[in-house]
Amino acid sequence: MFALPASVRVVLAVEPVDMRKSIDGLMALVRTAWGEDVYSGHLFAFVSRKGDRIKVLTWSRGGFVLLYKRLETGRFRLPPVDAGAQAVTLDATQLAMLLDGIDVAQVRRQPAWTPPGRTGT
């Protein structure tokens, strides 16, 4: 679909969001609820109450981009979330899996390789 550099964060809202919200309404959520910079170039994702729709908001070269996807059957499978969290951070691979309808919680990753003498990040 699209390639994202590793430096881009993806922040997913834990609570359902009213899909009638426009770019301005979603911006307000990002700023007030999460205290995030909407102009950072990071992606901010929001899932509907029924879990069949998702919006992804980002800033790109002088304007906002809003991606909207509706599943015809099924629901988006959200990753596990800590109690009390307002949002969860994903990486680009997890976002791609989420958008494809893959249950991110069921995916197992191999441990990342670290060169000898270095600590993992």
PDB file of all heavy atoms in Angstrom, residues 11 13 15-38 44-48 54-58 64-68:
ATOM      1  N   VAL A  11       0.488   6.130  16.046  1.00  0.00           N
ATOM      2  CA  VAL A  11      -0.202   6.168  17.325  1.00  0.00           C
ATOM      3  C   VAL A  11      -1.661   5.805  17.076  1.00  0.00           C
ATOM      4  O   VAL A  11      -2.345   6.464  16.293  1.00  0.00           O
ATOM      5  CB  VAL A  11      -0.091   7.560  17.986  1.00  0.00           C
ATOM      6  CG1 VAL A  11      -0.759   7.560  19.344  1.00  0.00           C
ATOM      7  CG2 VAL A  11       1.365   7.990  18.097  1.00  0.00           C
ATOM      8  N   ALA A  13      -5.472   5.183  18.542  1.00  0.00           N
ATOM      9  CA  ALA A  13      -6.397   5.481  19.640  1.00  0.00           C
ATOM     10  C   ALA A  13      -6.951   4.188  20.211  1.00  0.00           C
ATOM     11  O   ALA A  13      -7.331   3.295  19.465  1.00  0.00           O
ATOM     12  CB  ALA A  13      -7.529   6.365  19.146  1.00  0.00           C
ATOM     13  N   GLU A  15      -9.622   4.072  22.454  1.00  0.00           N
ATOM     14  CA  GLU A  15     -11.078   4.214  22.500  1.00  0.00           C
ATOM     15  C   GLU A  15     -11.625   4.462  21.094  1.00  0.00           C
ATOM     16  O   GLU A  15     -10.978   5.121  20.281  1.00  0.00           O
ATOM     17  CB  GLU A  15     -11.469   5.388  23.404  1.00  0.00           C
ATOM     18  CG  GLU A  15     -11.118   5.173  24.850  1.00  0.00           C
ATOM     19  CD  GLU A  15     -11.885   4.026  25.484  1.00  0.00           C
ATOM     20  OE1 GLU A  15     -13.090   3.873  25.194  1.00  0.00           O
ATOM     21  OE2 GLU A  15     -11.275   3.282  26.266  1.00  0.00           O
ATOM     22  N   PRO A  16     -12.823   3.963  20.803  1.00  0.00           N
ATOM     23  CA  PRO A  16     -13.435   4.225  19.493  1.00  0.00           C
ATOM     24  C   PRO A  16     -13.650   5.720  19.282  1.00  0.00           C
ATOM     25  O   PRO A  16     -13.842   6.477  20.235  1.00  0.00           O
ATOM     26  CB  PRO A  16     -14.784   3.510  19.582  1.00  0.00           C
ATOM     27  CG  PRO A  16     -14.674   2.565  20.719  1.00  0.00           C
ATOM     28  CD  PRO A  16     -13.651   3.124  21.652  1.00  0.00           C
ATOM     29  N   VAL A  17     -13.623   6.124  18.018  1.00  0.00           N
ATOM     30  CA  VAL A  17     -13.771   7.525  17.648  1.00  0.00           C
ATOM     31  C   VAL A  17     -14.946   7.658  16.682  1.00  0.00           C
ATOM     32  O   VAL A  17     -15.159   6.792  15.833  1.00  0.00           O
ATOM     33  CB  VAL A  17     -12.468   8.048  16.998  1.00  0.00           C
ATOM     34  CG1 VAL A  17     -12.642   9.440  16.439  1.00  0.00           C
ATOM     35  CG2 VAL A  17     -11.338   8.024  18.006  1.00  0.00           C
ATOM     36  N   ASP A  18     -15.675   8.746  16.815  1.00  0.00           N
ATOM     37  CA  ASP A  18     -16.787   9.042  15.910  1.00  0.00           C
ATOM     38  C   ASP A  18     -16.222   9.296  14.514  1.00  0.00           C
ATOM     39  O   ASP A  18     -15.460  10.237  14.311  1.00  0.00           O
ATOM     40  CB  ASP A  18     -17.531  10.266  16.435  1.00  0.00           C
ATOM     41  CG  ASP A  18     -18.760  10.634  15.632  1.00  0.00           C
ATOM     42  OD1 ASP A  18     -18.963  10.064  14.538  1.00  0.00           O
ATOM     43  OD2 ASP A  18     -19.522  11.494  16.103  1.00  0.00           O
ATOM     44  N   MET A  19     -16.568   8.461  13.561  1.00  0.00           N
ATOM     45  CA  MET A  19     -16.020   8.572  12.204  1.00  0.00           C
ATOM     46  C   MET A  19     -16.543   9.780  11.444  1.00  0.00           C
ATOM     47  O   MET A  19     -16.075  10.073  10.351  1.00  0.00           O
ATOM     48  CB  MET A  19     -16.299   7.289  11.401  1.00  0.00           C
ATOM     49  CG  MET A  19     -15.461   6.108  11.835  1.00  0.00           C
ATOM     50  SD  MET A  19     -13.699   6.297  11.427  1.00  0.00           S
ATOM     51  CE  MET A  19     -12.961   6.336  13.044  1.00  0.00           C
ATOM     52  N   ARG A  20     -17.490  10.521  12.027  1.00  0.00           N
ATOM     53  CA  ARG A  20     -17.950  11.765  11.397  1.00  0.00           C
ATOM     54  C   ARG A  20     -16.948  12.895  11.617  1.00  0.00           C
ATOM     55  O   ARG A  20     -17.048  13.943  10.976  1.00  0.00           O
ATOM     56  CB  ARG A  20     -19.317  12.165  11.934  1.00  0.00           C
ATOM     57  CG  ARG A  20     -20.413  11.163  11.575  1.00  0.00           C
ATOM     58  CD  ARG A  20     -21.710  11.528  12.224  1.00  0.00           C
ATOM     59  NE  ARG A  20     -21.573  11.349  13.676  1.00  0.00           N
ATOM     60  CZ  ARG A  20     -22.555  11.562  14.542  1.00  0.00           C
ATOM     61  NH1 ARG A  20     -23.732  11.974  14.123  1.00  0.00           N
ATOM     62  NH2 ARG A  20     -22.358  11.378  15.835  1.00  0.00           N
ATOM     63  N   LYS A  21     -15.987  12.682  12.518  1.00  0.00           N
ATOM     64  CA  LYS A  21     -14.982  13.723  12.779  1.00  0.00           C
ATOM     65  C   LYS A  21     -14.159  13.983  11.525  1.00  0.00           C
ATOM     66  O   LYS A  21     -13.732  13.066  10.844  1.00  0.00           O
ATOM     67  CB  LYS A  21     -14.059  13.328  13.922  1.00  0.00           C
ATOM     68  CG  LYS A  21     -14.712  13.412  15.278  1.00  0.00           C
ATOM     69  CD  LYS A  21     -13.686  13.311  16.375  1.00  0.00           C
ATOM     70  CE  LYS A  21     -14.300  13.357  17.735  1.00  0.00           C
ATOM     71  NZ  LYS A  21     -14.967  14.617  18.029  1.00  0.00           N
ATOM     72  N   SER A  22     -13.948  15.252  11.269  1.00  0.00           N
ATOM     73  CA  SER A  22     -13.135  15.670  10.123  1.00  0.00           C
ATOM     74  C   SER A  22     -11.668  15.763  10.542  1.00  0.00           C
ATOM     75  O   SER A  22     -11.308  15.417  11.674  1.00  0.00           O
ATOM     76  CB  SER A  22     -13.615  17.045   9.646  1.00  0.00           C
ATOM     77  OG  SER A  22     -13.356  18.013  10.659  1.00  0.00           O
ATOM     78  N   ILE A  23     -10.858  16.253   9.654  1.00  0.00           N
ATOM     79  CA  ILE A  23      -9.436  16.449   9.957  1.00  0.00           C
ATOM     80  C   ILE A  23      -9.280  17.329  11.196  1.00  0.00           C
ATOM     81  O   ILE A  23      -8.498  17.013  12.095  1.00  0.00           O
ATOM     82  CB  ILE A  23      -8.696  17.049   8.743  1.00  0.00           C
ATOM     83  CG1 ILE A  23      -8.577  15.993   7.640  1.00  0.00           C
ATOM     84  CG2 ILE A  23      -7.332  17.585   9.144  1.00  0.00           C
ATOM     85  CD1 ILE A  23      -8.031  16.528   6.319  1.00  0.00           C
ATOM     86  N   ASP A  24     -10.035  18.418  11.272  1.00  0.00           N
ATOM     87  CA  ASP A  24      -9.922  19.331  12.413  1.00  0.00           C
ATOM     88  C   ASP A  24     -10.315  18.655  13.723  1.00  0.00           C
ATOM     89  O   ASP A  24      -9.674  18.855  14.759  1.00  0.00           O
ATOM     90  CB  ASP A  24     -10.765  20.584  12.188  1.00  0.00           C
ATOM     91  CG  ASP A  24     -10.234  21.425  11.024  1.00  0.00           C
ATOM     92  OD1 ASP A  24      -9.009  21.426  10.810  1.00  0.00           O
ATOM     93  OD2 ASP A  24     -11.049  22.055  10.333  1.00  0.00           O
ATOM     94  N   GLY A  25     -11.375  17.849  13.702  1.00  0.00           N
ATOM     95  CA  GLY A  25     -11.802  17.140  14.904  1.00  0.00           C
ATOM     96  C   GLY A  25     -10.773  16.122  15.360  1.00  0.00           C
ATOM     97  O   GLY A  25     -10.516  15.973  16.558  1.00  0.00           O
ATOM     98  N   LEU A  26     -10.183  15.415  14.410  1.00  0.00           N
ATOM     99  CA  LEU A  26      -9.145  14.439  14.748  1.00  0.00           C
ATOM    100  C   LEU A  26      -7.884  15.142  15.246  1.00  0.00           C
ATOM    101  O   LEU A  26      -7.233  14.668  16.184  1.00  0.00           O
ATOM    102  CB  LEU A  26      -8.838  13.550  13.548  1.00  0.00           C
ATOM    103  CG  LEU A  26     -10.011  12.665  13.088  1.00  0.00           C
ATOM    104  CD1 LEU A  26      -9.647  11.941  11.797  1.00  0.00           C
ATOM    105  CD2 LEU A  26     -10.431  11.698  14.167  1.00  0.00           C
ATOM    106  N   MET A  27      -7.550  16.283  14.635  1.00  0.00           N
ATOM    107  CA  MET A  27      -6.399  17.078  15.109  1.00  0.00           C
ATOM    108  C   MET A  27      -6.578  17.467  16.567  1.00  0.00           C
ATOM    109  O   MET A  27      -5.640  17.398  17.361  1.00  0.00           O
ATOM    110  CB  MET A  27      -6.259  18.375  14.283  1.00  0.00           C
ATOM    111  CG  MET A  27      -5.526  18.265  13.000  1.00  0.00           C
ATOM    112  SD  MET A  27      -5.520  19.849  12.098  1.00  0.00           S
ATOM    113  CE  MET A  27      -5.103  21.042  13.337  1.00  0.00           C
ATOM    114  N   ALA A  28      -7.787  17.893  16.916  1.00  0.00           N
ATOM    115  CA  ALA A  28      -8.067  18.305  18.291  1.00  0.00           C
ATOM    116  C   ALA A  28      -7.856  17.137  19.256  1.00  0.00           C
ATOM    117  O   ALA A  28      -7.304  17.331  20.344  1.00  0.00           O
ATOM    118  CB  ALA A  28      -9.487  18.839  18.399  1.00  0.00           C
ATOM    119  N   LEU A  29      -8.274  15.939  18.875  1.00  0.00           N
ATOM    120  CA  LEU A  29      -8.041  14.762  19.725  1.00  0.00           C
ATOM    121  C   LEU A  29      -6.554  14.505  19.931  1.00  0.00           C
ATOM    122  O   LEU A  29      -6.104  14.234  21.042  1.00  0.00           O
ATOM    123  CB  LEU A  29      -8.674  13.523  19.105  1.00  0.00           C
ATOM    124  CG  LEU A  29     -10.171  13.364  19.221  1.00  0.00           C
ATOM    125  CD1 LEU A  29     -10.636  12.149  18.444  1.00  0.00           C
ATOM    126  CD2 LEU A  29     -10.574  13.254  20.673  1.00  0.00           C
ATOM    127  N   VAL A  30      -5.797  14.588  18.854  1.00  0.00           N
ATOM    128  CA  VAL A  30      -4.353  14.334  18.928  1.00  0.00           C
ATOM    129  C   VAL A  30      -3.688  15.344  19.860  1.00  0.00           C
ATOM    130  O   VAL A  30      -2.870  14.977  20.703  1.00  0.00           O
ATOM    131  CB  VAL A  30      -3.716  14.376  17.523  1.00  0.00           C
ATOM    132  CG1 VAL A  30      -2.203  14.351  17.601  1.00  0.00           C
ATOM    133  CG2 VAL A  30      -4.229  13.226  16.668  1.00  0.00           C
ATOM    134  N   ARG A  31      -4.056  16.595  19.724  1.00  0.00           N
ATOM    135  CA  ARG A  31      -3.445  17.645  20.543  1.00  0.00           C
ATOM    136  C   ARG A  31      -3.868  17.582  21.999  1.00  0.00           C
ATOM    137  O   ARG A  31      -3.034  17.637  22.904  1.00  0.00           O
ATOM    138  CB  ARG A  31      -3.819  19.017  19.985  1.00  0.00           C
ATOM    139  CG  ARG A  31      -3.075  19.407  18.774  1.00  0.00           C
ATOM    140  CD  ARG A  31      -3.522  20.781  18.358  1.00  0.00           C
ATOM    141  NE  ARG A  31      -2.664  21.317  17.315  1.00  0.00           N
ATOM    142  CZ  ARG A  31      -2.989  22.353  16.576  1.00  0.00           C
ATOM    143  NH1 ARG A  31      -4.134  22.973  16.761  1.00  0.00           N
ATOM    144  NH2 ARG A  31      -2.156  22.787  15.657  1.00  0.00           N
ATOM    145  N   THR A  32      -5.173  17.497  22.243  1.00  0.00           N
ATOM    146  CA  THR A  32      -5.660  17.615  23.621  1.00  0.00           C
ATOM    147  C   THR A  32      -5.573  16.306  24.398  1.00  0.00           C
ATOM    148  O   THR A  32      -5.123  16.306  25.535  1.00  0.00           O
ATOM    149  CB  THR A  32      -7.113  18.131  23.655  1.00  0.00           C
ATOM    150  OG1 THR A  32      -7.944  17.237  22.913  1.00  0.00           O
ATOM    151  CG2 THR A  32      -7.208  19.521  23.069  1.00  0.00           C
ATOM    152  N   ALA A  33      -6.008  15.215  23.815  1.00  0.00           N
ATOM    153  CA  ALA A  33      -6.029  13.943  24.552  1.00  0.00           C
ATOM    154  C   ALA A  33      -4.642  13.328  24.684  1.00  0.00           C
ATOM    155  O   ALA A  33      -4.331  12.722  25.703  1.00  0.00           O
ATOM    156  CB  ALA A  33      -6.980  12.954  23.873  1.00  0.00           C
ATOM    157  N   TRP A  34      -3.833  13.458  23.645  1.00  0.00           N
ATOM    158  CA  TRP A  34      -2.525  12.792  23.653  1.00  0.00           C
ATOM    159  C   TRP A  34      -1.351  13.745  23.841  1.00  0.00           C
ATOM    160  O   TRP A  34      -0.244  13.314  24.124  1.00  0.00           O
ATOM    161  CB  TRP A  34      -2.302  12.029  22.351  1.00  0.00           C
ATOM    162  CG  TRP A  34      -3.350  11.006  22.066  1.00  0.00           C
ATOM    163  CD1 TRP A  34      -4.230  10.441  22.939  1.00  0.00           C
ATOM    164  CD2 TRP A  34      -3.622  10.417  20.801  1.00  0.00           C
ATOM    165  NE1 TRP A  34      -5.027   9.542  22.292  1.00  0.00           N
ATOM    166  CE2 TRP A  34      -4.680   9.505  20.984  1.00  0.00           C
ATOM    167  CE3 TRP A  34      -3.074  10.560  19.530  1.00  0.00           C
ATOM    168  CZ2 TRP A  34      -5.203   8.752  19.946  1.00  0.00           C
ATOM    169  CZ3 TRP A  34      -3.595   9.814  18.496  1.00  0.00           C
ATOM    170  CH2 TRP A  34      -4.642   8.916  18.706  1.00  0.00           C
ATOM    171  N   GLY A  35      -1.570  15.044  23.625  1.00  0.00           N
ATOM    172  CA  GLY A  35      -0.479  16.013  23.737  1.00  0.00           C
ATOM    173  C   GLY A  35       0.577  15.843  22.661  1.00  0.00           C
ATOM    174  O   GLY A  35       1.743  16.164  22.864  1.00  0.00           O
ATOM    175  N   GLU A  36       0.170  15.335  21.498  1.00  0.00           N
ATOM    176  CA  GLU A  36       1.101  15.083  20.389  1.00  0.00           C
ATOM    177  C   GLU A  36       1.113  16.261  19.418  1.00  0.00           C
ATOM    178  O   GLU A  36       0.142  17.011  19.309  1.00  0.00           O
ATOM    179  CB  GLU A  36       0.694  13.821  19.628  1.00  0.00           C
ATOM    180  CG  GLU A  36       0.799  12.547  20.423  1.00  0.00           C
ATOM    181  CD  GLU A  36       2.213  11.981  20.444  1.00  0.00           C
ATOM    182  OE1 GLU A  36       3.078  12.439  19.680  1.00  0.00           O
ATOM    183  OE2 GLU A  36       2.433  11.059  21.236  1.00  0.00           O
ATOM    184  N   ASP A  37       2.206  16.394  18.684  1.00  0.00           N
ATOM    185  CA  ASP A  37       2.353  17.412  17.646  1.00  0.00           C
ATOM    186  C   ASP A  37       1.779  16.864  16.342  1.00  0.00           C
ATOM    187  O   ASP A  37       2.352  15.950  15.754  1.00  0.00           O
ATOM    188  CB  ASP A  37       3.830  17.766  17.477  1.00  0.00           C
ATOM    189  CG  ASP A  37       4.079  18.773  16.369  1.00  0.00           C
ATOM    190  OD1 ASP A  37       3.121  19.387  15.868  1.00  0.00           O
ATOM    191  OD2 ASP A  37       5.257  18.937  15.999  1.00  0.00           O
ATOM    192  N   VAL A  38       0.661  17.417  15.884  1.00  0.00           N
ATOM    193  CA  VAL A  38       0.008  16.908  14.673  1.00  0.00           C
ATOM    194  C   VAL A  38       0.824  17.188  13.413  1.00  0.00           C
ATOM    195  O   VAL A  38       0.590  16.570  12.380  1.00  0.00           O
ATOM    196  CB  VAL A  38      -1.418  17.473  14.503  1.00  0.00           C
ATOM    197  CG1 VAL A  38      -2.337  16.949  15.571  1.00  0.00           C
ATOM    198  CG2 VAL A  38      -1.408  18.985  14.472  1.00  0.00           C
ATOM    199  N   PHE A  44      -1.538   9.078  12.963  1.00  0.00           N
ATOM    200  CA  PHE A  44      -2.464   8.951  14.078  1.00  0.00           C
ATOM    201  C   PHE A  44      -3.685   8.193  13.570  1.00  0.00           C
ATOM    202  O   PHE A  44      -4.363   8.653  12.655  1.00  0.00           O
ATOM    203  CB  PHE A  44      -2.834  10.333  14.621  1.00  0.00           C
ATOM    204  CG  PHE A  44      -1.622  11.117  15.050  1.00  0.00           C
ATOM    205  CD1 PHE A  44      -1.068  12.071  14.217  1.00  0.00           C
ATOM    206  CD2 PHE A  44      -1.014  10.860  16.271  1.00  0.00           C
ATOM    207  CE1 PHE A  44       0.061  12.781  14.597  1.00  0.00           C
ATOM    208  CE2 PHE A  44       0.120  11.562  16.658  1.00  0.00           C
ATOM    209  CZ  PHE A  44       0.663  12.522  15.818  1.00  0.00           C
ATOM    210  N   ALA A  45      -3.948   7.026  14.156  1.00  0.00           N
ATOM    211  CA  ALA A  45      -4.998   6.142  13.667  1.00  0.00           C
ATOM    212  C   ALA A  45      -6.163   6.084  14.651  1.00  0.00           C
ATOM    213  O   ALA A  45      -5.971   6.089  15.870  1.00  0.00           O
ATOM    214  CB  ALA A  45      -4.427   4.747  13.446  1.00  0.00           C
ATOM    215  N   PHE A  46      -7.370   6.005  14.095  1.00  0.00           N
ATOM    216  CA  PHE A  46      -8.599   6.005  14.874  1.00  0.00           C
ATOM    217  C   PHE A  46      -9.535   4.936  14.318  1.00  0.00           C
ATOM    218  O   PHE A  46      -9.736   4.856  13.107  1.00  0.00           O
ATOM    219  CB  PHE A  46      -9.292   7.371  14.770  1.00  0.00           C
ATOM    220  CG  PHE A  46      -8.392   8.521  15.090  1.00  0.00           C
ATOM    221  CD1 PHE A  46      -7.637   9.138  14.091  1.00  0.00           C
ATOM    222  CD2 PHE A  46      -8.275   9.000  16.383  1.00  0.00           C
ATOM    223  CE1 PHE A  46      -6.801  10.209  14.372  1.00  0.00           C
ATOM    224  CE2 PHE A  46      -7.442  10.060  16.676  1.00  0.00           C
ATOM    225  CZ  PHE A  46      -6.698  10.664  15.671  1.00  0.00           C
ATOM    226  N   VAL A  47     -10.119   4.131  15.202  1.00  0.00           N
ATOM    227  CA  VAL A  47     -11.025   3.054  14.792  1.00  0.00           C
ATOM    228  C   VAL A  47     -12.434   3.412  15.243  1.00  0.00           C
ATOM    229  O   VAL A  47     -12.630   4.015  16.301  1.00  0.00           O
ATOM    230  CB  VAL A  47     -10.576   1.704  15.395  1.00  0.00           C
ATOM    231  CG1 VAL A  47     -11.529   0.585  15.012  1.00  0.00           C
ATOM    232  CG2 VAL A  47      -9.167   1.373  14.932  1.00  0.00           C
ATOM    233  N   SER A  48     -13.423   3.016  14.450  1.00  0.00           N
ATOM    234  CA  SER A  48     -14.823   3.294  14.750  1.00  0.00           C
ATOM    235  C   SER A  48     -15.340   2.436  15.890  1.00  0.00           C
ATOM    236  O   SER A  48     -14.716   1.443  16.280  1.00  0.00           O
ATOM    237  CB  SER A  48     -15.682   3.053  13.503  1.00  0.00           C
ATOM    238  OG  SER A  48     -15.714   1.674  13.198  1.00  0.00           O
ATOM    239  N   ILE A  54     -11.544   2.626   9.838  1.00  0.00           N
ATOM    240  CA  ILE A  54     -10.343   3.221  10.426  1.00  0.00           C
ATOM    241  C   ILE A  54      -9.978   4.466   9.628  1.00  0.00           C
ATOM    242  O   ILE A  54     -10.158   4.520   8.408  1.00  0.00           O
ATOM    243  CB  ILE A  54      -9.170   2.210  10.460  1.00  0.00           C
ATOM    244  CG1 ILE A  54      -8.004   2.721  11.309  1.00  0.00           C
ATOM    245  CG2 ILE A  54      -8.711   1.863   9.060  1.00  0.00           C
ATOM    246  CD1 ILE A  54      -6.970   1.665  11.634  1.00  0.00           C
ATOM    247  N   LYS A  55      -9.518   5.492  10.337  1.00  0.00           N
ATOM    248  CA  LYS A  55      -8.991   6.707   9.717  1.00  0.00           C
ATOM    249  C   LYS A  55      -7.565   6.879  10.213  1.00  0.00           C
ATOM    250  O   LYS A  55      -7.278   6.675  11.398  1.00  0.00           O
ATOM    251  CB  LYS A  55      -9.806   7.945  10.106  1.00  0.00           C
ATOM    252  CG  LYS A  55     -11.127   8.056   9.382  1.00  0.00           C
ATOM    253  CD  LYS A  55     -11.805   9.381   9.695  1.00  0.00           C
ATOM    254  CE  LYS A  55     -13.073   9.534   8.877  1.00  0.00           C
ATOM    255  NZ  LYS A  55     -13.739  10.831   9.127  1.00  0.00           N
ATOM    256  N   VAL A  56      -6.677   7.269   9.302  1.00  0.00           N
ATOM    257  CA  VAL A  56      -5.282   7.541   9.638  1.00  0.00           C
ATOM    258  C   VAL A  56      -4.972   8.958   9.183  1.00  0.00           C
ATOM    259  O   VAL A  56      -5.130   9.287   7.997  1.00  0.00           O
ATOM    260  CB  VAL A  56      -4.327   6.530   8.970  1.00  0.00           C
ATOM    261  CG1 VAL A  56      -2.884   6.832   9.358  1.00  0.00           C
ATOM    262  CG2 VAL A  56      -4.704   5.098   9.332  1.00  0.00           C
ATOM    263  N   LEU A  57      -4.543   9.795  10.113  1.00  0.00           N
ATOM    264  CA  LEU A  57      -4.255  11.202   9.856  1.00  0.00           C
ATOM    265  C   LEU A  57      -2.758  11.451   9.926  1.00  0.00           C
ATOM    266  O   LEU A  57      -2.087  10.970  10.840  1.00  0.00           O
ATOM    267  CB  LEU A  57      -4.970  12.068  10.903  1.00  0.00           C
ATOM    268  CG  LEU A  57      -4.731  13.572  10.856  1.00  0.00           C
ATOM    269  CD1 LEU A  57      -5.398  14.177   9.622  1.00  0.00           C
ATOM    270  CD2 LEU A  57      -5.256  14.229  12.127  1.00  0.00           C
ATOM    271  N   THR A  58      -2.233  12.220   8.974  1.00  0.00           N
ATOM    272  CA  THR A  58      -0.826  12.623   9.013  1.00  0.00           C
ATOM    273  C   THR A  58      -0.659  13.960   8.302  1.00  0.00           C
ATOM    274  O   THR A  58      -1.504  14.370   7.498  1.00  0.00           O
ATOM    275  CB  THR A  58       0.088  11.557   8.384  1.00  0.00           C
ATOM    276  OG1 THR A  58       1.461  11.899   8.655  1.00  0.00           O
ATOM    277  CG2 THR A  58      -0.113  11.426   6.895  1.00  0.00           C
ATOM    278  N   PHE A  64      -2.739  18.206   5.307  1.00  0.00           N
ATOM    279  CA  PHE A  64      -3.050  16.956   5.987  1.00  0.00           C
ATOM    280  C   PHE A  64      -3.503  15.906   4.989  1.00  0.00           C
ATOM    281  O   PHE A  64      -4.133  16.215   3.977  1.00  0.00           O
ATOM    282  CB  PHE A  64      -4.143  17.165   7.042  1.00  0.00           C
ATOM    283  CG  PHE A  64      -3.629  17.784   8.298  1.00  0.00           C
ATOM    284  CD1 PHE A  64      -3.761  19.140   8.516  1.00  0.00           C
ATOM    285  CD2 PHE A  64      -2.987  17.013   9.254  1.00  0.00           C
ATOM    286  CE1 PHE A  64      -3.272  19.721   9.666  1.00  0.00           C
ATOM    287  CE2 PHE A  64      -2.490  17.583  10.406  1.00  0.00           C
ATOM    288  CZ  PHE A  64      -2.634  18.938  10.613  1.00  0.00           C
ATOM    289  N   VAL A  65      -3.174  14.663   5.290  1.00  0.00           N
ATOM    290  CA  VAL A  65      -3.608  13.506   4.506  1.00  0.00           C
ATOM    291  C   VAL A  65      -4.475  12.667   5.438  1.00  0.00           C
ATOM    292  O   VAL A  65      -4.094  12.422   6.586  1.00  0.00           O
ATOM    293  CB  VAL A  65      -2.405  12.669   4.016  1.00  0.00           C
ATOM    294  CG1 VAL A  65      -2.875  11.423   3.289  1.00  0.00           C
ATOM    295  CG2 VAL A  65      -1.494  13.509   3.141  1.00  0.00           C
ATOM    296  N   LEU A  66      -5.631  12.247   4.942  1.00  0.00           N
ATOM    297  CA  LEU A  66      -6.529  11.416   5.732  1.00  0.00           C
ATOM    298  C   LEU A  66      -6.853  10.161   4.932  1.00  0.00           C
ATOM    299  O   LEU A  66      -7.451  10.222   3.871  1.00  0.00           O
ATOM    300  CB  LEU A  66      -7.814  12.178   6.068  1.00  0.00           C
ATOM    301  CG  LEU A  66      -8.793  11.470   6.992  1.00  0.00           C
ATOM    302  CD1 LEU A  66      -8.165  11.271   8.374  1.00  0.00           C
ATOM    303  CD2 LEU A  66     -10.075  12.269   7.113  1.00  0.00           C
ATOM    304  N   LEU A  67      -6.407   9.024   5.457  1.00  0.00           N
ATOM    305  CA  LEU A  67      -6.696   7.721   4.853  1.00  0.00           C
ATOM    306  C   LEU A  67      -7.899   7.150   5.582  1.00  0.00           C
ATOM    307  O   LEU A  67      -7.961   7.186   6.807  1.00  0.00           O
ATOM    308  CB  LEU A  67      -5.495   6.788   5.025  1.00  0.00           C
ATOM    309  CG  LEU A  67      -5.722   5.326   4.681  1.00  0.00           C
ATOM    310  CD1 LEU A  67      -5.762   5.155   3.173  1.00  0.00           C
ATOM    311  CD2 LEU A  67      -4.648   4.464   5.288  1.00  0.00           C
ATOM    312  N   TYR A  68      -8.850   6.621   4.814  1.00  0.00           N
ATOM    313  CA  TYR A  68     -10.069   6.040   5.392  1.00  0.00           C
ATOM    314  C   TYR A  68     -10.280   4.670   4.786  1.00  0.00           C
ATOM    315  O   TYR A  68     -10.216   4.515   3.572  1.00  0.00           O
ATOM    316  CB  TYR A  68     -11.252   6.953   5.077  1.00  0.00           C
ATOM    317  CG  TYR A  68     -12.585   6.489   5.610  1.00  0.00           C
ATOM    318  CD1 TYR A  68     -12.940   6.730   6.930  1.00  0.00           C
ATOM    319  CD2 TYR A  68     -13.502   5.851   4.792  1.00  0.00           C
ATOM    320  CE1 TYR A  68     -14.168   6.335   7.431  1.00  0.00           C
ATOM    321  CE2 TYR A  68     -14.735   5.460   5.280  1.00  0.00           C
ATOM    322  CZ  TYR A  68     -15.066   5.707   6.592  1.00  0.00           C
ATOM    323  OH  TYR A  68     -16.288   5.315   7.076  1.00  0.00           O
TER     324      TYR A  68
END
